[in-house]
Amino acid sequence: MRHRAVHWRRPVVRSCRRGARSRMWRDCWARMFRPLVARPSLSAETPALQKVAPKPFGVRRPRDATAIRPLTTSSDSEPGGQGPVSTLSLMPRPVALITGPTSGIGAGYARRYARDGYDLVLVARDVDRLKQLAGELEAGAGRVEVLPADLADPAGREKVAGRLAAGVRVLVNNAGFATSGEFWATDPELLQAQLDVNVTAVMHLTRAALPAMLHGGKGTIINIASVAGMVPGRGSTYSASKAWVISFSEGLAVGLHGTGVGVHAVCPGYVHTEFHTRAGLDMPKLPSFLWLEVDDVVDQSLADIAVGKVISIPGVQYKAIVTAGRMIPRGLARAVTARVGGGRGRT
Ligand SMILES: NC(=O)c1ccc[n+]([C@@H]2O[C@H](COP(=O)([O-])OP(=O)(O)OC[C@H]3O[C@@H](n4cnc5c(N)ncnc54)[C@H](OP(=O)(O)O)[C@@H]3O)[C@@H](O)[C@H]2O)c1
């Protein structure tokens, strides 16, 4: 009996305690949270209001969704990225500065960023071609600034650095060139100019752009490198310059992690542009499957950047080549390059 009584009493005590506790929580809830639920605070309402905010008079909305929320910046996927989509219609358009847009890959980035709702700053030497491109892109919507500069020249780099210090959202360090012939027979001034455009300009312009990007907590720097910078034994100065760009971009990307600013290296293989003609490189023997088109390089690299990839290698064929090259001993990779890749006659 005694045993049973104990059993009968305990549940009552427990249920009384439980009842007191749940009453206490109900009171707390009622005092603290119910008013907030019944009357939402302004901050809870704001995003909804922003979504339906009428277009203020005189403010031009960008044309489409990608224009109001540029998908091509790495800062979108990082903590300091863009806020609610619709508020951007009230903000100035982001600016992308692109070097070497007068032909090839740079022209591809310029057209894509213009379509995505950016204003542009175009940097190259050929003023006529710069103006022609600016006219074409301005007809599409945004502002296009032409900034003629020779990036092999310190004064040219300084001019571009000054514009970057004023603030841009995106910097594409694309200008670059290769030359044909052997290293030991090439004009030392040409070699120096190549180093200045492919390396020194990338370093100076990145350094100039970063403070404003860091201050704003967002920005994207895209450095155009090359698969040549990943494959051993492929020419001399050009490959070395692109290996520098890859290493520089990776190191900087690690240092900038969590700042909202992204640095990326794009490593294309062979792309149909003026690059090989300008370099004096004859390419008739190259199998067609190795050629890439500019728009594919631009689209694939920006898709990689949007998901935060630091190194982008457009094209499955080049992903396979780079992966295979990493899996075999370096000496063997050099030997293969010398046999199938034509390691001579290019600098
Ligand atoms: N095409 C390929 O197969 C390939 C493959 C891998 C990587 N890449 C890289 O991709 C980038 C773009 O090359 P691309 O293929 O588009 O070649 P491209 O058609 O020859 O274009 C090169 C661009 O760089 C500009 N440029 C060259 N020297 C300059 C200088 N001193 N100052 C300012 N701008 C200069 C040129 O403009 P101006 O002549 O008007 O100055 C031109 O707009 C380069 O960095 C290249 O190394 C190309």
Side-chain angles (χ1 to χ4, degrees):
M1 255 328 257
R2 215 173 149 228
H3 182 72
R4 249 194 228 161
V6 169
H7 262 281
W8 180 79
R9 272 164 185 259
R10 267 196 184 154
V12 172
V13 172
R14 273 204 199 118
S15 73
C16 284
R17 276 195 200 138
R18 246 187 250 133
R21 247 186 253 141
S22 64
R23 264 197 306 281
M24 189 183 79
W25 281 115
R26 257 203 315 272
D27 286 353
C28 276
W29 164 256
R31 270 191 226 138
M32 292 171 64
F33 298 113
R34 198 161 291 153
L36 298 178
V37 175
R39 223 162 8 105
S41 69
L42 184 62
S43 62
E45 281 175 40
T46 312
L49 287 178
Q50 284 169 344
K51 269 183 193 139
V52 293
K55 174 177 163 271
F57 182 74
V59 175
R60 194 172 48 153
R61 274 200 208 286
R63 283 174 306 154
D64 56 27
T66 53
I68 57 174
R69 186 172 191 271
L71 294 172
T72 45
T73 64
S74 62
S75 52
D76 282 347
S77 56
E78 295 196 22
Q82 310 269 19
V85 171
S86 50
T87 54
L88 289 179
S89 59
L90 305 175
M91 296 163 93
R93 291 157 59 100
V95 177
L97 186 147
I98 299 164
T99 69
T102 49
S103 76
I105 298 171
Y109 280 107
R111 291 195 173 96
R112 170 67 192 268
Y113 273 109
R115 274 203 306 280
D116 284 0
Y118 283 73
D119 285 340
L120 297 172
V121 183
L122 305 177
V123 177
R125 294 165 300 181
D126 189 328
V127 181
D128 289 343
R129 287 180 92 178
L130 281 174
K131 285 184 179 163
Q132 195 185 336
L133 181 64
E136 174 199 320
L137 299 178
E138 256 170 352
R143 271 192 68 230
V144 184
E145 201 180 316
V146 161
L147 189 56
D150 182 349
L151 295 174
D153 175 18
R157 293 194 293 271
E158 207 47 51
K159 187 159 84 165
V160 183
R163 176 61 190 86
L164 288 166
V168 297
R169 177 74 65 81
V170 175
L171 163 64
V172 185
N173 278 313
N174 162 79
F177 69 96
T179 61
S180 50
E182 302 298 354
F183 170 76
W184 50 89
T186 307
D187 180 355
E189 278 189 24
L190 181 59
L191 295 173
Q192 187 59 53
Q194 185 189 48
L195 195 64
D196 288 341
V197 176
N198 293 11
V199 173
T200 312
V202 175
M203 180 182 68
H204 281 187
L205 302 193
T206 302
R207 173 65 183 82
L210 275 175
M213 287 183 175
L214 287 168
H215 183 71
K218 60 182 90 158
T220 301
I221 297 177
I222 303 174
N223 295 325
I224 308 304
S226 171
V227 161
M230 298 178 144
V231 177
R234 185 98 186 96
S236 55
T237 53
Y238 178 76
S239 303
S241 72
K242 294 303 182 181
W244 184 92
V245 171
I246 296 166
S247 181
F248 169 69
S249 307
E250 271 190 305
L252 209 45
V254 171
L256 289 166
H257 182 74
T259 61
V261 178
V263 177
H264 310 264
V266 177
C267 303
Y270 293 100
V271 191
H272 277 127
T273 67
E274 295 175 12
F275 179 84
H276 302 97
T277 316
R278 286 185 192 229
L281 293 166
D282 207 12
M283 308 298 296
K285 280 190 274 170
L286 194 73
S288 60
F289 79 92
L290 285 176
W291 282 109
L292 301 170
E293 299 305 325
V294 166
D295 286 347
D296 296 330
V297 170
V298 170
D299 291 349
Q300 286 181 36
S301 64
L302 292 182
D304 285 346
I305 288 165
V307 296
K309 284 191 186 170
V310 172
I311 306 282
S312 167
I313 303 171
V316 281
Q317 62 278 55
Y318 288 105
K319 286 184 180 65
I321 288 169
V322 169
T323 308
R326 281 184 189 138
M327 286 160 66
I328 60 176
R330 207 165 164 90
L332 180 58
R334 253 195 328 267
V336 172
T337 309
R339 193 161 177 80
V340 300
R344 295 284 304 264
R346 51 179 65 226
T347 50

